[in-house]
Amino acid sequence: MAQRKTAAVILAAGKGTRMKSALPKVMHPLAGRPMIKHLLAAVDAAKLDRAVIVIGPEMDSVAEAVAPVSSAVQRDRLGTGHAVLCAKDALAGFAGDVLVLYGDTPLLTPETLGRVMQARSDGAAVVVLGFEPVDPAAYGRLVLDSQGGLDAIVEYKDATPQQRAIRLCNSGVMAADARLLFDLLSKVRNDNSKGEYYLTDVVALARGKGLPCAVVRAPEEELLGVNSRGEQAVAEAVIQTRLRHRAMDNGATLIDPSSVFFSVDTELGQDVTIGPNVVFGPGVTVADGVEIRAFCHIEGAKIGRGAIVGPFARLRPGAVLQNDVHIGNFVEVKATLVESGAKANHLTYLGDARVGAGANVGAGTITCNYDGFLKSLTDIGAGAFIGSNSALVAPVKIGDGAIIGAGSVITEDVPADALAAARGEMRVVPGWAKPYRERKKAEKAARKKRS
Ligand code: UD1
Ligand code: MG
């Protein structure tokens, strides 16, 4: 039999007032990626066929962020059941299962989604993902029958004291055949304590038709909902723990895992060593054998095999380090290609530049890439040597093998293998210092006497 198709319906129309933010809740990032995209990644990894995000009015930014995944607008927030119904038109003509997810539970894993879909294939008409939180708080409670099947979901506000004593709670994740689900939802009423159309009512309606319903369980950690900045921080910690383990499982050494922060898209090769307090923003690729020393901040950068970065280095978007490059302490690199074996080990800014293979950029070198209006390029040839404390005023080209004298301000191109020194001539006056000191001492004594 052909595999049943499954469409995710992700509910995200809630205002997220507790975030106290101008940004829709599901656009808040975790590990450098909006929450909603975490969920879409899980949906993708679980090989679902399509997805529809249900958003509120004025959430165009969410629709844009998820495109080409389609979105449906829920104009009035009448409850979770109503929200799912809002996706009906977007799924017109779709035959298969619907998997309902909440946009604010970004930690769900594809494995768990797979288990929910499996339970559907195993014959339950409605499958609900349940969990046993340490504090069941106001979650909906899952009422089981004597065989362990699911009888009903009771919202906390509507539950009896006995039902409130149940520890098994509703995560919100639910799977059912699309036609059955929309049919049941059309029968859901809002005569409950919240006056809302509850998605959860479809379980009792399915049972009323004699259809079997089942519960799949998952650990609480995966079902953590993000409603506040505090919960966002807890979710971030969970994701960082996962990413640290992934890095180590793939062959990286993290000297102090708890102080290394990854983005979901950080790519690390094998035998990469990462020191304490290193932060990876989005878009970083690190090849095999790289050493990243303590206190580096890296985003949008590509680091080649065998390179050494840090301590205290900053790599910004467009930094590309080829093999065996050394970028040392207090060096900032932006939109710059540093070719094989080149070094900039101390106190340097390289922006909008190319540093040729094997070049040596001395301490305190600055590429002056910005004139207050426009950015310009600096091109440093292979094997060039830039003396310490030089300012390279872009646009400027330093030829292969050229040497720049320390302290130079370079405003014109320097040919290959030339020496360029642009600074005041040095003057040495023999014996000048001693009489100077004598004179000053006498001056000071005379002043003291007068006062
Ligand atoms: C819901 C469940 C409850 C479960 C809990 C888990 C119902 C009736 N209750 O309760 O059993 O234990 O989640 O967290 O389903 N949303 C919309 N449109 C709406 C209402 C909600 O898009 O009209 C979205 C929200 O953005 C959110 C999700 O649905 O992503 C859940 O809504 P929420 O109001 O948090 O439901 P709970 O009352 O927590
Ligand atoms: Mg909730």
Side-chain angles (χ1 to χ4, degrees), residues 11-14 74 77-80 83 102-104 139-140 155 170-171 194 198 200:
L11 306 190
Q74 183 191 27
R77 209 175 166 282
L78 303 180
T80 49
Y102 291 172
D104 59 2
Y139 286 113
E155 287 308 288
N170 175 29
S171 69
K194 278 192 170 174
Y198 290 164
T200 45

Side-chain angles (χ1 to χ4, degrees), residues 337 339 349-362 365-368 376-387 389-422:
L337 169 66
E339 293 177 353
Y349 174 59
L350 297 170
D352 303 299
R354 176 189 75 104
V355 179
N360 191 313
V361 178
T365 298
I366 307 291
T367 53
C368 307
S376 301
L377 302 180
T378 299
D379 190 78
I380 299 174
F385 182 96
I386 313 297
N389 209 32
S390 292
L392 308 177
V393 183
V396 73
K397 194 170 157 45
I398 313 295
D400 290 352
I403 294 179
I404 305 298
S408 292
V409 177
I410 300 295
T411 53
E412 281 167 41
D413 289 356
V414 177
D417 293 321
L419 165 70

Side-chain angles (χ1 to χ4, degrees), residues 78-81 154-155 157-159 188-201:
L78 303 180
T80 49
V154 188
E155 287 308 288
K157 274 198 171 175
D158 305 295
V188 167
R189 294 156 37 134
N190 65 348
D191 51 352
N192 49 52
S193 59
K194 278 192 170 174
E196 288 187 357
Y197 296 91
Y198 290 164
L199 167 65
T200 45
D201 282 357

Side-chain angles (χ1 to χ4, degrees), residues 22 41 128 136 168 185 213 233-234 261 265 267 298 335 385 394 443:
V128 169
L168 185 61
L185 280 173
C213 301
V234 175
F261 293 83
D265 64 350
E267 281 179 37
I298 302 172
F385 182 96
E443 247 176 72

Side-chain angles (χ1 to χ4, degrees), residues 285-291 301-309 320-325 338:
T285 308
V286 180
D288 293 348
V290 167
E291 184 180 344
K302 248 182 118 158
I303 304 177
R305 190 185 281 265
I308 299 176
V309 178
V320 177
L321 314 186
Q322 290 183 346
N323 298 349
D324 304 314
V325 160
V338 185

Side-chain angles (χ1 to χ4, degrees), residues 3 17 36 102 109 132 169 173 178 185 207-208 212 214 250 257 262 275 326 350 355 376 391 399 416:
Q3 178 81 36
T17 27
I36 187 76
Y102 291 172
T109 61
E132 289 195 29
C169 293
V173 176
L185 280 173
R207 294 294 298 128
N250 290 340
F262 290 108
H326 292 190
L350 297 170
V355 179
S376 301

